[in-house]
Amino acid sequence: MKKLFFIVSLIFISGLCNIISSDNIDYGLFIKAFPYNDQDKTSLVLENNQPLKLGKETTMSFFINIRKDNAFGVVFRIITDKKENIDLMFTVGDKDKRYPMLVINESVFMISEEIVCDQWIPCSITLSSEKNEISIVYNNTKLSVPHSLTETKNALISFGLCPLTGYSLYDIASVNIRDINIFDKKELIRNWKLREHDGLKSFDSVANVPAITTNPRWITDMYASWEKIYSKQIKANSLFCFNPNENLIYIIDPDSKDIITFDPERRNETTTAVKSGVIAANAPNQVFYNPEQDLLFSYNLDENTISRFSFANSSWDSHIESKLDHGYWNNSTSYSEADSTIVSFGGYGFYKYNNELIRLHLNHGSITKSNLLDIPPRHSASTAIIGNTLYIFGGRGNKSGRQELSPKNYYDFYSVNLLTEQTNKLWENKSENIDFLPSENMIFDEKENCFYIFATKDGGTLLRIEKDKIGYTSVSHPIQEDLNAHYLYTNLYFSPKLKKFYALVNKIKTDGSAEVSIYSLSYPPAAITDSVVNEQSSDHTFSFSFKLITLIVLGLVGLILLIYFQYRKRPSSKINNTKLPNTLEVNKTDNIKREIETSYYDFSKQSICFLGGFSVTDKDGHNITGQFTPMLKYLLILLILHTVKESKGISGNKLIQLLWFDKNDESAKNNRNVYLSKLRTVLENVGECTITNQNGFWSISLGENIRCDYIETMKLFSLIKENKSLAPSEINKLVELLLKGVFLPNTEADWIDNFKSDFSNLTIDTLTSLSSDGYEKLSDELKLKIADILFLHDYINEEALYLKCSIFFNSGKKGIAKGIYDNFCKEYLNLLGTKYKYSLSDVISRKNITK
């Protein structure tokens, strides 16, 4: 019955995980294996890189998705304190079939079930010292192996590349991992979903213990972060188009000499030499791939000419070279399958913007032109054709069409009936305060009934717009590409086969040099909380409500099963009425975050924050943390830390040693100057800020309107050091700041460790002194907040233990006090390997404990 209940619990927990994450976004950790280089392969170590303490029966369950690129090698490796290795590996069988196998030291135990790729499969392994047995369940197959575990007390668990010296295996399998659960018998003690992360760490939901990675690739990031997959110096005025059938991007030489074909899936390119003929186009974006005929069409809207390229004979079918200057720069074109026409809208030429609708019939080469008078003239609009309707978003121009008369960016959305040319303005967002231009093509998502646009916002961002909702939603992190150029062309493509977006960016500089870059993003994209004039739709609300209701139903089912099995195992003639301590309520109460009212500081705008994590907000309250590359972030942190430590700041040489140690002197100085200039530019959005160099030392001065929580905290620490005491309002200010969290928790660098240690020591010493010297003057609420902060910096801090236990115990909440004490003792034993020597009554009375 216990085994049955444990199985039901496993299913129930898995069900909860699936319900909670039952949206379209996949998640987990992508383990980098071959063909990545050994130094780039992924390692995941559970339990904060420390051995996991094993119970009498410890079970690890997880889900695995095997990728086809390298279904061979180790999946996980368990290294026990007896120096034994327990591995799950994939090996090769007959006819190149792949099978899992359990490896214990040098003994191999085959699992008969052939592996299946590209689907999530449940796995679990149980180490039982009671049975002296290791058992593994792979999908539907179970294997048990006798093995002595009596003296095995703990084990280090790693997935992918094992970082433990002497135990590394570089043949690791190409797999994705998620939902790692650790059970002590039937009690869930760890749950790493591997969904949320802070870069190199993902925390478990039970005890907040991190799993540590190297070279990670988080699957959720693939749906929110663009990956640069191609970059090349090309000729100015090159042309581009996309073949969705074969997932190929073409780069066409404007001199008709060759065509580069780039394969985003395989990341390779081939070049086809043009044998004869010339392109008709006289501008960068006048080419189109016709999937019906498998031909490239170049066209010239000024001269009404077409030239087709066939890969079968590597030739253009026209020899007529263009002669006229182009009058439709940055027009937008879409293909209408209904009548095989290329439909062009807008563009710029001869100092004028236009609102022309041009139809070029590919079959017979005829062209028709008209004006959409209800839409102001513009260039760089984004278009898409759905059925017989042309949709148009944004662009730049003005009502007169004359360049000299104050052009502006438009953020409006139109539909045009291509049969009647009736134009309807669907909406306009007039409150937009960030200038951006959309890509030439919009991608229509029929399932979601929305459009996706690649925009120049923040150096390149994917936006989602809807026909009946004003505004846009950012659905990717910004690329942060430098888009300053003499001529800029961007476009967005979509591969139905691979479910990938591709963003193409072409920049031509004033000297005539040109570069093309291509980025990829997985579909469906993940919404980034950057909505403008958008409210949640009822569909989303319904989806969330449905998930919540389902979660509640599953919870009730689980509770009923729990009561049923607990009742079944009791003797029917006796009922134990002993009331047990409600440990759930203890933990719940203790873990409630007691939020301090923010009555002293406002970090919602013009702020630079280090406590609880690095973040920066601008003058308008927008979070611009994403604009800080790792190097800009480190540079700002170094300047602030050293300026606070010593007013003269940090020497230029030390700055180079810490950030550009791998470069020669000249290159390092150039990098330093470039990044200092970039930092000044970004900080202009925050407020008045001065970075100065005096006698070789760099320092930073923030204007009066800029708030930095670290600087404010250090000022209060200095006041205490000088005055040995603080007014009640000053104490409340300090507590409000410190409750924001620890110092730069997600920022890792060798040089920052001493600052972190000093800040924690200063916090602990200051708050301990405050609580001891002025104990009678402090309210219980303030004491509990001080205890929370102390535990943040030292989770076996005895002063914090005394404050919490004594307050709860003396207020009649003895069960809560006991729960806090028991948890403290457990952590104390885990960390120091020895039992805590004071009883709860000793702690509350401070008996035998130095105050």
Side-chain angles (χ1 to χ4, degrees):
M1 190 65 70
K2 290 181 179 179
K3 289 183 178 179
L4 178 59
F5 178 68
F6 181 51
I7 292 170
V8 171
S9 299
L10 273 172
I11 295 171
F12 174 61
I13 290 168
S14 298
L16 288 180
C17 293
N18 289 334
I19 287 297
I20 292 170
S21 61
S22 61
D23 51 29
N24 293 324
I25 304 300
D26 204 354
Y27 65 95
L29 180 65
F30 179 105
I31 302 288
K32 295 180 185 176
F34 181 83
Y36 288 88
N37 296 323
D38 287 345
Q39 65 269 22
D40 297 324
K41 291 177 179 176
T42 301
S43 168
L44 171 70
V45 184
L46 307 184
E47 203 65 15
N48 197 22
N49 268 341
Q50 300 299 315
L52 176 75
K53 183 178 180 181
L54 301 177
K56 293 182 179 179
E57 184 174 279
T58 300
T59 298
M60 177 178 71
S61 69
F62 58 94
F63 281 85
I64 183 172
N65 188 309
I66 306 162
R67 307 193 306 273
K68 294 177 182 178
D69 41 319
N70 187 49
F72 177 81
V74 67
V75 175
F76 68 70
R77 168 155 270 203
I78 300 175
I79 308 298
T80 71
D81 52 1
K82 294 172 65 179
K83 306 303 180 185
E84 294 185 308
N85 61 278
I86 304 165
D87 311 322
L88 173 63
M89 307 183 79
F90 294 146
T91 189
V92 183
D94 295 336
K95 299 180 180 179
D96 199 35
K97 292 183 178 181
R98 308 301 169 101
Y99 295 90
M101 66 180 181
L102 176 66
V103 179
I104 304 175
N105 297 324
E106 296 183 357
S107 300
V108 174
F109 305 91
M110 297 298 299
I111 298 172
S112 59
E113 183 173 342
E114 185 181 354
I115 69 169
V116 178
C117 295
D118 298 327
Q119 62 177 267
W120 287 103
I121 296 171
C123 299
S124 68
I125 184 169
T126 300
L127 308 182
S128 175
S129 59
E130 289 181 325
K131 299 177 182 178
N132 277 323
E133 178 184 84
I134 298 173
S135 60
I136 189 166
V137 178
Y138 179 86
N139 201 18
N140 298 313
T141 305
K142 182 176 180 180
L143 172 70
S144 297
V145 177
H147 187 79
S148 176
L149 294 167
T150 306
E151 297 179 4
T152 304
K153 304 301 180 186
N154 55 65
L156 185 81
I157 304 174
S158 68
F159 286 81
L161 187 65
C162 180
L164 195 63
T165 304
Y167 292 93
S168 295
L169 293 177
Y170 288 92
D171 283 328
I172 63 175
S174 297
V175 297
N176 302 336
I177 301 293
R178 74 182 186 195
D179 295 328
I180 302 174
N181 295 314
I182 305 291
F183 295 88
D184 184 357
K185 288 197 171 179
K186 57 187 177 182
E187 180 187 359
L188 179 68
I189 60 173
R190 296 289 186 272
N191 170 229
W192 289 280
K193 288 187 68 64
L194 303 184
R195 183 177 184 121
E196 290 80 20
H197 65 89
D198 66 359
L200 299 179
K201 297 178 183 177
S202 182
F203 291 85
D204 98 281
S205 60
V206 178
N208 206 37
V209 177
I212 309 296
T213 66
T214 55
N215 301 321
R217 189 179 180 192
W218 302 99
I219 294 176
T220 50
D221 286 357
M222 299 180 194
Y223 296 86
S225 299
W226 293 94
E227 179 186 8
K228 193 172 189 176
I229 59 175
Y230 186 78
S231 182
K232 189 179 185 69
Q233 296 293 321
I234 58 173
K235 291 182 180 179
N237 293 344
S238 293
L239 301 92
F240 315 93
C241 65
F242 180 60
N243 175 349
N245 292 348
E246 299 179 62
N247 193 50
L248 300 173
I249 297 173
Y250 301 118
I251 304 173
I252 297 100
D253 187 323
D255 299 324
S256 306
K257 292 183 178 180
D258 54 44
I259 295 175
I260 297 172
T261 301
F262 174 64
D263 185 338
E265 184 177 9
R266 295 177 178 81
R267 309 286 177 91
N268 61 18
E269 67 174 43
T270 57
T271 301
T272 302
V274 176
K275 294 180 179 179
S276 65
V278 295
I279 62 174
N282 58 351
N285 60 329
Q286 306 296 298
V287 70
F288 170 76
Y289 172 77
N290 187 337
E292 298 166 356
Q293 301 177 38
D294 191 26
L295 296 174
L296 295 180
F297 280 75
S298 70
Y299 49 92
N300 187 318
L301 299 180
D302 297 281
E303 301 173 55
N304 189 21
T305 56
I306 294 176
S307 183
R308 304 167 183 83
F309 181 84
S310 170
F311 285 95
N313 56 26
S314 302
S315 299
W316 294 99
D317 68 359
S318 173
H319 295 272
I320 303 174
E321 295 185 0
S322 62
K323 298 178 181 179
L324 299 178
D325 290 335
H326 185 46
Y328 297 94
W329 291 93
N330 286 114
N331 64 315
S332 179
T333 57
S334 299
Y335 178 64
S336 172
E337 294 182 2
D339 54 1
S340 298
T341 60
I342 292 175
V343 180
S344 168
F345 171 75
Y348 167 82
F350 312 110
Y351 306 102
K352 290 184 179 181
Y353 313 107
N354 74 72
N355 52 8
E356 281 189 80
L357 184 71
I358 304 174
R359 306 176 199 234
L360 182 61
H361 297 267
L362 296 183
N363 293 335
H364 45 79
S366 64
I367 191 168
T368 58
K369 298 183 180 181
S370 58
N371 290 89
L372 299 180
L373 299 178
D374 292 328
I375 304 178
R378 64 189 64 191
H379 69 82
S380 297
S382 189
T383 61
I385 295 176
I386 311 300
N388 290 313
T389 303
L390 173 69
Y391 291 95
I392 302 171
F393 173 78
R396 182 172 178 80
N398 55 36
K399 290 183 179 180
S400 70
R402 301 177 66 88
Q403 178 184 345
E404 65 271 21
L405 298 181
S406 302
K408 68 173 185 176
N409 284 11
Y410 288 101
Y411 307 97
D412 47 11
F413 197 38
Y414 293 87
S415 67
V416 180
N417 187 317
L418 292 175
L419 300 178
T420 64
E421 294 192 4
Q422 179 180 341
T423 302
N424 293 316
K425 186 174 185 178
L426 301 176
W427 50 258
E428 181 175 6
N429 179 16
K430 296 182 179 180
S431 63
E432 182 57 58
N433 54 12
I434 300 175
D435 284 341
F436 68 81
L437 291 173
S439 56
E440 180 183 356
N441 286 339
M442 287 190 286
I443 304 298
F444 179 64
D445 188 331
E446 185 176 4
K447 181 181 177 182
E448 297 292 328
N449 193 29
C450 69
F451 295 87
Y452 293 107
I453 297 170
F454 181 74
T456 59
K457 178 178 179 287
D458 297 328
T461 306
L462 188 69
L463 305 181
R464 168 185 168 132
I465 65 173
E466 299 177 33
K467 290 180 283 187
D468 55 356
K469 187 180 295 184
I470 298 175
Y472 65 85
T473 303
S474 294
V475 287
S476 80
H477 293 300
I479 292 175
Q480 296 183 340
E481 168 116 9
D482 182 3
L483 299 180
N484 292 317
H486 177 64
Y487 171 81
L488 178 68
Y489 172 75
T490 64
N491 212 338
L492 180 68
Y493 310 122
F494 179 68
S495 169
K497 174 186 173 184
L498 299 180
K499 294 189 179 300
K500 293 273 190 180
F501 289 106
Y502 299 113
L504 183 144
V505 178
N506 177 36
K507 296 182 290 186
I508 302 176
K509 299 181 180 179
T510 53
D511 61 3
S513 62
E515 179 185 21
V516 63
S517 299
I518 301 173
Y519 298 83
S520 72
L521 178 74
S522 294
Y523 171 90
I528 308 301
T529 54
D530 188 22
S531 299
V532 176
V533 201
N534 274 325
E535 298 178 359
Q536 281 191 327
S537 69
S538 58
D539 290 342
H540 292 160
T541 305
F542 172 78
S543 175
F544 175 77
S545 301
F546 178 77
K547 292 178 184 178
L548 184 60
I549 292 169
T550 308
L551 185 62
I552 293 170
V553 170
L554 276 176
L556 290 173
V557 171
L559 182 60
I560 292 168
L561 287 172
L562 175 63
I563 295 170
Y564 172 74
F565 286 122
Q566 291 295 329
Y567 178 78
R568 282 285 301 273
K569 71 180 183 180
R570 293 178 183 171
S572 58
S573 59
K574 293 183 180 180
I575 299 177
N576 186 355
N577 288 319
T578 304
K579 187 174 182 180
L580 299 175
N582 190 341
T583 54
L584 177 64
E585 185 64 31
V586 169
N587 294 333
K588 182 179 178 182
T589 305
D590 185 45
N591 287 331
I592 292 175
K593 183 179 179 181
R594 287 173 289 275
E595 295 185 357
I596 189 167
E597 292 184 4
T598 310
S599 55
Y600 296 100
Y601 298 101
D602 179 12
F603 295 105
S604 62
K605 62 180 181 179
Q606 289 190 276
S607 67
I608 300 172
C609 295
F610 291 175
L611 304 186
F614 178 83
S615 69
V616 182
T617 56
D618 66 11
K619 301 172 184 175
D620 299 318
H622 297 134
N623 189 321
I624 60 170
T625 309
Q627 296 183 22
F628 286 81
T629 63
M631 189 60 72
L632 279 181
K633 173 182 171 182
Y634 289 147
L635 182 58
L636 176 60
I637 291 172
L638 272 171
L639 288 172
I640 290 178
L641 292 184
H642 282 273
T643 303
V644 170
K645 184 178 180 180
E646 197 168 350
S647 59
K648 66 180 182 179
I650 181 173
S651 72
N653 289 334
K654 187 171 183 179
L655 201 58
I656 288 175
Q657 290 171 9
L658 294 177
L659 298 183
W660 296 284
F661 54 87
D662 57 338
K663 301 187 183 302
N664 59 43
D665 288 345
E666 183 178 356
S667 178
K669 288 179 181 178
N670 287 337
N671 272 271
R672 182 188 65 193
N673 294 337
V674 168
Y675 276 98
L676 283 166
S677 177
K678 287 183 178 179
L679 182 61
R680 289 188 180 99
T681 301
V682 175
L683 289 177
E684 284 177 1
N685 298 319
V686 182
E688 184 181 345
C689 181
T690 306
I691 299 174
T692 56
N693 179 14
Q694 190 170 3
N695 299 324
F697 283 82
W698 292 90
S699 62
I700 188 169
S701 174
L702 304 181
E704 293 182 0
N705 294 328
I706 300 178
R707 287 281 193 191
C708 177
D709 53 7
Y710 174 74
I711 294 176
E712 295 295 327
T713 305
M714 296 304 289
K715 285 179 181 177
L716 292 170
F717 281 147
S718 296
L719 279 175
I720 293 176
K721 185 176 181 181
E722 294 170 4
N723 303 327
K724 304 298 181 182
S725 63
L726 280 181
S729 62
E730 302 299 320
I731 295 175
N732 284 328
K733 284 183 179 180
L734 180 63
V735 170
E736 178 185 321
L737 290 166
L738 294 174
L739 274 175
K740 292 183 72 207
V742 296
F743 176 67
L744 292 171
N746 304 323
T747 304
E748 302 293 338
D750 292 340
W751 50 264
I752 208 170
D753 289 342
N754 288 336
F755 284 99
K756 288 185 176 184
S757 176
D758 291 346
F759 188 83
S760 287
N761 289 333
L762 189 55
T763 299
I764 292 170
D765 292 345
T766 302
L767 294 185
T768 301
S769 176
L770 280 174
S771 63
S772 299
D773 298 342
Y775 184 81
E776 301 300 330
K777 300 177 183 178
L778 304 179
S779 67
D780 285 350
E781 182 183 4
L782 189 57
K783 293 174 190 173
L784 288 174
K785 290 170 184 172
I786 289 174
D788 282 341
I789 297 167
L790 291 172
F791 273 144
L792 277 175
H793 294 269
D794 177 11
Y795 58 88
I796 56 169
N797 184 279
E798 290 184 289
E799 179 67 19
L801 178 67
Y802 164 72
L803 289 172
K804 281 200 164 190
C805 289
S806 61
I807 290 171
F808 282 121
F809 190 90
N810 293 329
S811 63
K813 300 174 183 176
K814 297 178 174 60
I816 295 177
K818 180 64 165 59
I820 294 168
Y821 172 80
D822 288 344
N823 186 64
F824 179 92
C825 292
K826 182 180 178 181
E827 296 293 348
Y828 191 95
L829 177 62
N830 289 339
L831 181 65
L832 302 180
T834 184
K835 291 184 178 180
Y836 188 58
K837 62 182 178 179
Y838 299 113
S839 67
L840 176 60
S841 60
D842 290 338
V843 171
I844 293 169
S845 63
R846 286 194 186 264
K847 184 178 179 181
N848 300 322
I849 303 177
T850 304
K851 185 174 179 179

